[in-house]
Amino acid sequence: MARLADYFVVVGYDLDKRGGSEGQGRILQRFPEKDWEDNPFPQGIELFCQPSGWQLVPERLPASFFVAVLTDINSERHYCACFTFWETVENPQVRRLEADEDETPELLQPAQLYAPKSLVLVSRLDHTEVFRNCLGLIYTVHVDSLNVPLETVIGNLLTCVIPIAGGSQRTITLGAGDRQVIQTPINDSLPVSGCSVAQLFRQLGIVNVLCLFCAALTEHKILFLSKSYQRLTDACRALLAIMFPLKYSFTYVPILPGKLLEVLSTPTPFIIGVNSFFRSETQELLDVIIADLDGGTVTIPECVHISLLPEPLLQHTQTVLSMVLDPELEVADYAFPPSSTQPSALRIQDKEIRAVFLWLFAQLFLGYRWCLHIIRIHPEPVIRFHKAAFLGHRGLSEDDFLMKVLDGMAFAGFVSERGAPYRTTDLFDDLIANQVERIRQEQGDPHKVMNHIKELAEHLFKNENPYPAVAMHRVQRPADSPHSRSHASQALFPQLDDVAVQLFIDHAAAKLKTAPPVVKAELKEMVPSGPPLGESKHSVLANSARRLEVVRNCINYIFDNKMLEAKKLMPAVLRALKGRAARVCLTQELNQHVLQNRAVLDDQQFDYIVRMMNCTLQDCSHIDEHGIAAALLPLVAAFCRKLGGGITQFAYSCVQEHMVWTNMQFWEAMFYSDVQNHIRALYLETEDGGAPVSSPPLQHISGFSKLAQVSALELASEQTRLWPTLTKESQQERVQKEESTVFSQAIHYANRMSYLLLPLDTSKNRLLRTTGLADVESVSNSYVTNSIAGSMAESYDTESGFEDAESSDVANSVVRFINRFVDKVCNESGVTNEHLKALHTMIPDIVQMHIETLDAVYRESKRLPPIQKPKLLRPTLLAGEEFVMDGMRVHLVSDGREEATGVMGGPPLLPAEGAIFLTTYRIIFKGMSIDPLVGEQVVTRSFPIASLTKEKKISVHIPMDQFIQEGLQLRSCTFQLMKIAFDEEVASDLAEVFRKHMHKLRYPQHVQGTFAFTVGQSAKLVVEHKTKDKNQSLKTLSKNLVKSAKRTIGRQYVTRKKYTPPTWENRSSLALTLSSTIRSSDRQTMSNVVERACCRDYQRLGLGTLSNSLTRSKNEPFRISTVNRMYTVCRSYPGLLIVPQSIPDSTIQRISRCYRQNRFPVVCWRNSRTKAVLLRSAGLHAKGVVGFFKSPNAPSAGPSQADSTSLEQEKYLQAIISSMPSYNEASGRNTLSGFTSTHMSTSGQTHRNSLLLFLIFLLFHSGKWGSIRGSGRLSAYNPDVGNRLAGKESPQANGGPAEPYFLRQQRAYLYIIGDKSQLKGGKQDSFQQWEVVPIEVFDVRQVKNSFKKLMKACVPSSPSSEPNMSFHRCLEESDWMNLLHKVLQVSVLVVELLATGSSVMVSLEDGWDVTTQVVSLVQLLSDPYYRTFDGFRLLVEKEWLSFGHRFSHRGAQTLASQSSGFTPVFLQFLDCVHQIHLQFPMEFEFSQYYLKFLAYHYVSNRFRTFLLDSDYERIELGVLYEEKGERRTPQVCKSVWDYIDRLHKKTPIFYNYMFSPEEEEVVLRPYSFISNLKVWDFYTEETLSEGPSYDWELVRGRPEGHTEDTATDRPETAAPKSQRRVVWPCYDSLSKVLPDAITKLLQDVHNLEAELGHVSEKWKDTWDKIKTTQRTETKLESRVYTLIFMCDFDCGRIVLPLRHIQNFDFVFLMILEYASVNVYLCSTIRSYEGILFKKGALLKPWKPRWFVLDKTKHQLRYYETRQDKECKGVIELAEVESVIPGTPAMGAPKNVEEKAFFDLKTTKRVYNFCAQDSQNAQLWMDSIQSCLSDA
């Protein structure tokens, strides 16, 4: 029984404090005045009566009613029903104005105002309608002046007592002629909701309410907004009602007063309602979900993520809710919809919605009681929930929503309240225990679910309305509306008589004391658990039965000592153990081999078992781990091996390095599980008379305690029921027994924890130091019923036990950890303080004792022979290359390339075990595959340290013998990737040292720290050299430049050999002369400069002499200027430059300032036919653009510096134009710009369109297009190149010429290719002789980003099955091919312009990236010389090195350029050359390998060629003119060109056998469309057998001879073996294993010469002779030859068959001709041949046939004629039995002597032959006999 109302309060407006903007309320009267002892008066009621603030209003408002909810300190809710009406008060403003009549009021103030007054009823019961009626009655009595004293009504109200629950009904009256019936709910555990839930869904909708529901369960902040206070209360009540059976335990304020809005900033979750009046003040809340009840919206901030219900549960719930709320939806499309589809009445619908949520919770918490651990039964049950087991069994370990719900406070309360095994039950208990099967069966049928929902709704409705038919309410209401009354007619609410009301209260209290106590018997019962949890389906299906069989077989092999079989199965087992079913299977199988808690193994068995245990624990997820680790915990202490001296080593010492052992939650769950088993056994033993029941060993995995019929909870329920019937002694005895059980388990677990926390080598504290033992939230895994503040336990948990483990020893760390564990579990399990102290005393002793045992084990284990790990293979080093760090054992893990993993066929080469080496030049991995089926195949992967682009730490998970500490992923710009995992023997600090060394080598302080400079020196020297040089170069650079340049150059020039110019000197060229006018001090410097590549090329092209203005020749249009000889005009240009003859050096210095980096236009190439020149420069500065475009609007105040510079710039360009012969010959103005046509829309676009027309004309110009030979496929070239460059569309759809007169258009003399963005806004001047072509170019950032994506596409770090991550998709997204397309497109455009006589100036960016690419490609396409070895070298030296491409900066070669990143501009150029090479394979002297070689070594830093950014920097370091005669280290080449020359003499690897240049100079025009471009195999190929093949000495030099020798010796000494071998992609070097035909023949000749003792001729000489002879001799028939080399050796005749090769007949003959060997050549592999008559089969005549006796193939073949190539028949000599003279048969040829016949007898038949004569017949018989005897 409880009071209906605890307090009645009258709250009014405080007239004394009505200053300011807001008034205040005050309590006028309260009854009773003293607080009840069991229920103190709640404070702050006056704030909640007027939540929007106490204010006076000018008009009377209608009376209002709402219920606010207050929560006290004990979490008890008080319902404050507020009835507010308005009373008149005088306006104080009016009085003041009357007193001060002088002042004129600004506003007309009313004479009367209305103040609010509230009647408040405070109760612990929630009967909203009863409260409304009672307060309304009191108000009616007052207003209508009924003859009933208000004191009587209020006294009756405060003394009314009703039952809380039980389904009874009570009629109450307050003595004013009223009557009300109050119905109490049957079960008070079920919430009462009225219609509030249905209203909430109507206001917000299904999706929004579900969102709020999930937010409340996952502890988010929720704020309701509405104009109506009662709706706020109802919405909050509804949200709590649908959360049943969970109870909300955070801040709950359905109506929050405006003065307390700062509460919304609290960090804790809440459900709060606020009036919409305060909406603006809620906008700044960033983490609050706002539900607007009036607008029907829910606003979720961006930073808030709400975890929703797991699918398909969410979908099912939405469907069922839709059927409840909108039943018409399902039949809306029916042709004949049923009539009865209206939704239920609101009160019924409310219960149906609640039933849906009850049904939802039954599915969410299905089987939760099977995961409750009962730790203590007496004196009070203590229960824990095992979250990990619940999620694991349900297969919801990864479900975010359920994880958060189980971690929440609401679920903690749920376990505390509902975990007890013996209590009263309700609807939810019945649902989850007895209707699980029904729910499962109905899942797919919404209509069956709906029927179930309606049944549940009936229960809920009946609980709330036990007597629905009763409605005997009679309550008076005011006679008329108080709002319409006159002001004077309503009296103020009177002051009530305190004494009269108190008398009522005292009288009722005395009556209660004399009344007998009401005793209601609670119907307690055992709570049913429902069906047990089963394994989740998906985890079982993930493993096939075959995999489980493999695991079982392997374990059986191990215990049967069949180690070889076990070893074969081990890789498959380790793969299978990734699945949960296989891990469970492993624990079950291992458990069968444990006898009496012990299993002794030998060393090999022990190693295998430990390996599998480690793999099992390593692959577990963070939740699943607890199930598997729990099953393994007893096993790790059972499996052991005997060491020497009677010492035993257990498996736990080898499986310690797993995070699970440092997880406090795991130990708690395990402890409570074992305690439950022992408590259960304790009571079973008591009942069974002493027969204890042992717990099943695998109960952690297979469910809880299924062995016996009685579960632990059932036992606990029974014991709780019996507890009151026991005597005090029995009760005490049971409490002591349970406490002793817990105490003994605590000791047992202290031992277990010390086993797994103390490392074998106790000097190492690695385990405890590297794992966050302290940061464990124990509370999140399970809840304890008697722990009143879980959060306190959590904060205690998070205190660090191992924060100071660094400074402490292992023992103290472990003791502290175990102490924390013991404190926690013993406090929650009710262990006495004495026992707890005893435990704290024991734990250090336990740990110390275990340490002593471990020391002995450690000592003995060190004496064991080490595990047989593969021997570390040492790599071969280059001359001068040294180890920086010796080999560290690592595993090379497979990356995203699938070739090496065996996925695409072939053996799984990776992962491989070996070592990583760091040298001064490379990072090298060398090892062997760990797959035993691969064989001993050495795996090598390496790349230059200078090419490292990215290094990051990774964690690697692969099944291995050892537990991997950490890994590294190294990515190289040579398209190599290494993912390595350090072995356990590598200390983590050593791995860190490796990284630091690697970083230091990758980014040296100065370029002199690179391998090219430090080769052959010790590291110490490098460091000293580096520091000294750094100071010198930085401090005294500008001061000593000229001096040091002279000194360096002068010293080196003296001993340098004279350079012999190549064969192009006979071309028409002008000799370079050193004029006497140059100062003698500069002459030595200049003589060095003259021999640079660019100068040699100028000489070849006939581009001027080296002279000054006094002696220059008038005939030469260009001269070689020395203005930059000291690099003062432009530091990034070479010393000698080609400029127009008429331009003095002083002008050049002024012009250079207009261009970026002072890179002014210079000539770099001239077309020998048209004399058009190619110029290069940087882009213009802003002021320089004036020279290109003369602005008509520019003010001309007078001649300025800019104007004069512009004029000089114009003169410079005009001088270039004047140099062209066509300019002098032409008559009239000759430019494209003046052309106008009806097809051109605006003059602004003229030059673009005219360029297009010009390109259309170029289509018909002669040239060589992309094919193996020029075949005239012109149609494939798209003529709208210029359009696309200029951003215009083609004039016609097909891009063809629009009208024939287009071909007659004039062209400009000079085209300037400029950057579109830079030339924006300029207008072409019609009088200029040049034309600007603005194009869009990409910047280096695009190249850098594109290259990164290209590397990830070609060498992905991990395999991906997503379609949008395929190779071709990634390649497309990288945009690399598009960049190549753009460069080639611009280059082809320039080539065309030059070929037709126009000069071109490329003026882009800073002139050292895209400009260099374009001018280099233009020269390569236009001039065949650059397609030779010498020419290409000259091209790169001139355009890339001398003209200052920033190799060091773009390659990020030093620490200073590290931040700029790697930008492969030169690689892009090489790729373009590769694309051209593919389209014109007969035009290049060098091979594709040559390009790859340069691509590799321009980033490798092995050579000095591609270091530094300009000639100026190279001179400063003294590396530009290095002495060629210097031979201090003859094996070390400083220049890549020298190395290539040296190698080219030895091997044809760089040579292109298809090189066949034509007599006339051919211009190449490659197709540049992306569809014509191919991915360069340099990006994708790999050779794991030997590593990259670009360091020739390492892969081709030494080993090749050995392999050849062994290959030739083996067939003679050993038994015959197959000559075939398997070639593995990505492992073997195909060019080495399967060389091309010519390389193979040249090698064979070389080997033969060596074998015969002849002096070997160089391969190039042999090849040149062959080609010369081939031109003079007639082309031989296309046949296949066998070459028989017959040598007069004592050892006899050598027969060497060569491979069959077609179409290269001349190769064979010429090689043999010049091989100095006696060669006998018989045509078409024929030993003897001629015409024989052969008798046909039965009844067939004799016919002449051409017979061939082939001794090699051991055959006799015959043809129709000699010329016939198709064989008509074959007689195998192996089948011939005899050859004998024959006799003429019928139909034989006439006039032939008898001896000319002979017979050939085979096993199948007899052949009859007839020769021309007897002599010929004898020769045939002898030859055949000879073949037979040889065989």
Side-chain angles (χ1 to χ4, degrees), residues 796-995:
Y796 175 68
D797 253 1
T798 51
E799 289 175 14
S800 170
F802 289 101
E803 290 285 329
D804 56 344
E806 294 276 358
S807 58
S808 172
D809 62 341
V810 190
N812 287 344
S813 305
V814 174
V815 166
R816 277 201 303 278
F817 186 71
I818 299 175
N819 276 339
R820 284 176 52 227
F821 166 77
V822 164
D823 281 342
K824 190 162 190 305
V825 297
C826 289
N827 283 331
E828 291 176 352
S829 309
V831 173
T832 59
N833 282 335
E834 290 75 19
H835 274 157
L836 196 53
K837 285 178 184 173
L839 275 170
H840 282 305
T841 313
M842 278 186 217
I843 288 167
D845 297 337
I846 291 171
V847 170
Q848 195 54 46
M849 185 175 67
H850 190 60
I851 286 176
E852 289 169 12
T853 311
L854 279 179
D855 285 341
V857 172
Y858 181 64
R859 276 197 311 274
E860 287 301 323
S861 65
K862 295 300 279 183
R863 292 177 189 165
L864 282 175
I867 299 170
Q868 289 299 314
K869 291 186 178 179
K871 185 183 175 185
L872 296 183
L873 305 170
R874 294 184 71 78
T876 314
L877 298 188
L878 289 171
E881 183 181 8
E882 298 168 7
F883 285 114
V884 175
M885 284 191 75
D886 217 342
M888 292 186 291
R889 189 178 292 278
V890 295
H891 291 83
L892 181 66
V893 188
S894 58
D895 45 58
R897 296 171 286 183
E898 296 179 330
E899 292 86 355
T901 57
V903 175
M904 302 174 72
L909 297 165
L910 298 180
E913 184 177 2
I916 189 104
F917 297 86
L918 184 63
T919 74
T920 48
Y921 172 48
R922 290 176 298 158
I923 298 172
I924 312 161
F925 170 85
K926 194 164 186 179
M928 289 189 177
S929 174
I930 62 171
D931 194 311
L933 302 176
V934 174
E936 296 187 355
Q937 299 294 339
V938 176
V939 172
T940 306
R941 202 175 257 180
S942 70
F943 57 80
I945 186 80
S947 68
L948 180 71
T949 56
K950 190 171 182 184
E951 166 263 322
K952 69 173 182 179
K953 288 185 177 180
I954 53 171
S955 56
V956 183
H957 302 290
I958 58 172
M960 293 181 183
D961 292 313
Q962 292 80 30
F963 189 83
I964 304 305
Q965 282 182 319
E966 56 191 290
L968 278 181
Q969 180 174 299
L970 310 173
R971 191 182 281 281
S972 151
C973 59
T974 60
F975 290 84
Q976 194 50 271
L977 182 74
M978 276 193 212
K979 284 177 78 173
I980 54 170
F982 290 103
D983 193 87
E984 62 165 5
E985 70 184 39
V986 178
S988 55
D989 51 350
L990 199 61
E992 194 57 35
V993 170
F994 174 81
R995 288 181 66 236

Side-chain angles (χ1 to χ4, degrees), residues 1239-1242 1244-1250 1252 1280-1291 1316 1334 1336:
H1239 296 271
M1240 316 280 179
S1241 56
T1242 62
Q1245 299 295 329
T1246 303
H1247 67 280
R1248 297 182 182 179
N1249 290 322
S1250 55
L1252 164 74
D1280 65 347
V1281 175
N1283 273 336
R1284 284 206 306 282
L1285 295 175
K1288 292 287 289 178
E1289 289 302 319
S1290 183
K1316 188 177 183 180
E1336 289 182 1

